[in-house]
């Protein structure tokens, strides 16, 4: 299989076939982001011949004894059990409709047990597709996109150079809703900066409450020296929230969500990991957050953050 640089995937895609169709990010401008800094280029599409060759290799994992053994030693999933592919890269959904359809065709040809295809997507990737194309992509298996909306706070989206506004999130995800393509969100706690966490959380709840995300995954901002945001902090033009304020921000988000949705804080950026379904678990999650806010020391949480040499 061809893989380039660090491969990022959401925790819930652990059993999916990871297929490299892109590497890097077309946007590459968010001030806080260092995720694809290890690549010598900003964005690259994999040649379709490489994608096809990777699928041929994955197909062999169930028939060729040496390939089976190699796959087992590498902990790779058995192809006959594969039901889902996850296209790698920061935003493979940016690819042209025809290319996404061609990739779905190869997947169907070589591993027909795969029924759905997911990937990371930017809001601006959805804008590029017509309603008819979105519906046809859903028919071809595209479902369960993961979108790092980060926040519904327009001031933060603009400051961090996300390249879209809260109204765009609502408009484009409503188009996904109509096409039948489901999606999960990542929310970035502290993106609104010191003293503005609760404003950001309320604005994000307002956006989410108009939509139908499967899940909202919470990540906490962890600023690395290679990021533009780090330079802004050094210049004194932006301040991060305290660690306790981050937990208050999550609590405000939870208190203001009125939609049924899975809610999870599972990545390494979260010192305390938790998950539940709303509305059933809403109060229990808020109670757990209250306990953290009242009993855990800021210094201990700060030490945890400092210990994260990478995400
Ligand atoms: S769109 Fe995502 S991967 Fe690309 S720069 Fe922004 S946060 Fe990073």
């Amino acid at each position: 299989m061809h893989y380039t640089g660090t491969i990022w995937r959401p925790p819930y895609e652990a059993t999916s076939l990871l297929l490299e169709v892109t590497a890097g990010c077309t946007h590459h401008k968010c001030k806080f982001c260092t995720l694809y800094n290890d690549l010598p280029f900003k964005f690259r599409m994999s040649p379709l011949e490489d994608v096809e060759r990777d699928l041929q290799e994955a197909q062999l994992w169930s028939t060729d004894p040496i390939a089976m053994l190699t796959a087992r030693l590498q902990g790779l999933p058995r192809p006959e059990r594969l039901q889902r592919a996850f296209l790698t890269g920061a935003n493979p959904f940016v690819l042209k409709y025809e290319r996404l359809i061609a990739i779905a065709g190869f997947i169907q040809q070589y591993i027909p047990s795969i029924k759905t295809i997911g990937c990371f997507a930017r809001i601006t990737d959805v804008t590029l597709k017509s309603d008819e194309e979105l519906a046809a992509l859903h028919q071809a298996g595209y479902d369960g996109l993961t979108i790092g909306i980060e926040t519904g706070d327009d001031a933060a989206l603009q400051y961090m150079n996300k390249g879209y506004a809260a109204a765009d999130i609502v408009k484009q995800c409503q188009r996904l809703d109509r096409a039948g393509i489901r999606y999960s969100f990542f929310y970035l706690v502290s993106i609104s900066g010191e003293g503005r966490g609760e404003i950001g959380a309320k604005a994000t709840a307002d956006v989410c409450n108009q939509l139908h995300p499967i899940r909202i995954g919470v990540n906490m901002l962890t600023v690395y020296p290679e990021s533009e945001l780090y330079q802004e902090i050094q210049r004194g033009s932006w301040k991060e929230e305290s660690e306790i304020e981050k937990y208050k921000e999550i609590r405000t988000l939870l208190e203001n969500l009125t939609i049924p949705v899975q809610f999870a804080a599972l990545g390494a950026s979260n010192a305390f990991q938790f998950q539940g379904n709303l509305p059933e678990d809403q109060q229990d999650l808020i109670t757990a957050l209250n306990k953290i806010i009242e009993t855990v020391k800021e210094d201990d949480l700060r030490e945890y953050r400092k210990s994260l040499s990478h995400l």
Side-chain angles (χ1 to χ4, degrees), residues 24-36 89-91 121-122 148 150 160-162 164 188:
C25 172
T26 53
H27 185 62
H28 213 70
K29 286 185 192 138
C30 303
K31 281 187 184 171
F32 54 84
C33 180
T34 55
L35 287 183
Y36 296 91
N91 61 326
R122 279 179 47 80
E150 323 298 6
M160 295 295 175
N161 285 333
K162 277 303 294 184
Y164 53 81
L188 188 59

Side-chain angles (χ1 to χ4, degrees), residues 150-157 166 187-208 241 245-246 248-256:
E150 323 298 6
T151 182
D153 173 4
D154 272 335
L157 287 169
Y187 173 68
L188 188 59
V189 185
S190 189
I191 189 174
S192 293
E194 188 186 52
R196 297 193 70 254
E198 302 208 357
I199 296 170
K202 283 181 184 161
T204 305
D206 184 43
V207 164
C208 294
E241 289 176 14
E245 192 182 352
K246 289 177 188 169
K248 289 181 179 168
E249 180 178 335
I250 302 176
R251 182 176 63 185
T252 303
L253 176 62
L254 268 168
E255 284 168 345
N256 285 276

